[in-house]
Amino acid sequence: ASAHSSRLPRAEIPAEIRAVLTAPSHHQVLGVGAGASRAQVKRAFHKLALKLHPDKNRSPLAEEAFKRLQEAHAALS
């Protein structure tokens, strides 16, 4: 996790954002297995992007989580 996530008490960080920020691998950020197809990666990205996009999610950590999500998608695509 980043230094930013330590600013809020753990209980105040939404579960989806906490999961993305603390995931040790790109696959775990997206919630897919190591053998996931491009289609599965894309579907997982879009599903999480709808929840984490800073325009939709008002959490102060949404932008950071969305950036990490984008990095994972780019790495696995």
Side-chain angles (χ1 to χ4, degrees):
S2 73
H4 297 290
S5 59
S6 63
R7 289 186 197 160
L8 292 175
R10 182 179 167 97
E12 292 181 24
I13 302 171
E16 290 114 354
I17 290 178
R18 186 170 49 244
V20 168
L21 294 178
T22 61
S25 74
H26 292 308
H27 288 95
Q28 289 174 316
V29 167
L30 292 169
V32 297
S37 68
R38 282 183 173 215
Q40 289 170 316
V41 168
K42 184 177 179 178
R43 240 184 339 268
F45 170 76
H46 284 286
K47 183 179 176 181
L48 283 169
L50 289 173
K51 293 179 182 178
L52 299 179
H53 194 282
D55 289 347
K56 299 278 184 187
N57 191 320
R58 297 295 178 205
S59 171
L61 296 173
E63 185 173 347
E64 183 179 350
F66 189 71
K67 286 179 185 175
R68 182 121 198 267
L69 181 64
Q70 288 177 306
E71 289 171 9
H73 180 252
L76 299 176
S77 292

